[in-house]
C-alpha cells in the first residue's frame, strides 16, 4: 500500500476528498502493486542477470516467500515442497 495506494490517496486528500475516488485509489493501487510484485518475482526467476542488473534466484537463496513459492506450497507435490524448502 505504501508504494502505490497511499501516494494516490494522499494526493486525493490534498486535492479534494471524494469517498468514491478513495475506494478507487485503494483498489487500483493495490492491484497495481500486486502486478508490480508478481512481475518482480517472475523476473527474479527467468531474467538474464546482465539485463536485470542483479543476481537472479536471490529470493530463493534468501528464502523470501513470494507469489511463486506460495504457488508451490499450495499446488506442488510433497517432493516439490521439500525441494523448495
Amino acid at each position: 500500500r505504501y508504494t502505490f495506494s497511499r501516494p494516490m490517496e494522499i494526493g486525493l486528500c490534498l486535492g479534494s476528498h471524494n469517498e468514491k475516488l478513495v475506494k478507487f485509489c485503494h483498489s487500483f493501487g493495490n492491484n497495481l502493486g500486486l502486478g508490480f510484485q508478481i512481475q518482480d518475482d517472475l523476473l527474479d526467476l527467468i531474467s538474464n542477470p546482465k539485463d536485470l542488473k542483479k543476481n537472479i534466484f536471490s529470493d530463493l537463496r534468501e528464502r523470501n516467500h513470494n507469489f511463486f513459492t506460495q504457488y508451490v506450497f499450495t499446488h506442488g507435490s510433497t517432493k516439490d515442497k521439500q525441494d523448495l524448502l
Side-chain angles (χ1 to χ4, degrees):
R1 294 198 59 189
Y2 65 89
T3 304
F4 293 100
S5 297
R6 201 50 85 193
M8 290 192 301
E9 291 169 356
I10 291 169
L12 181 63
C13 287
L14 291 173
S16 67
H17 188 78
N18 178 318
E19 191 58 36
K20 269 181 127 174
L21 289 176
V22 170
K23 289 179 182 179
F24 169 79
C25 289
H26 177 75
S27 176
F28 182 74
N30 282 346
N31 288 322
L32 187 62
L34 182 60
F36 176 86
Q37 191 58 56
I38 290 170
Q39 179 183 23
D40 184 63
D41 295 345
L42 180 61
L43 288 173
D44 188 60
L45 297 174
I46 66 169
S47 288
N48 179 333
K50 291 179 183 176
D51 295 335
L52 193 59
K53 305 225 181 344
K54 70 175 191 176
N55 294 329
I56 58 171
F57 302 118
S58 60
D59 287 343
L60 291 174
R61 274 193 302 280
E62 296 170 11
R63 298 183 181 269
N64 290 334
H65 189 70
N66 63 37
F67 180 80
F68 297 101
T69 57
Q70 181 60 45
Y71 185 87
V72 172
F73 286 126
T74 302
H75 302 287
S77 68
T78 301
K79 181 177 181 339
D80 292 336
K81 295 172 191 176
Q82 289 172 345
D83 288 347
L84 183 57
L85 289 172

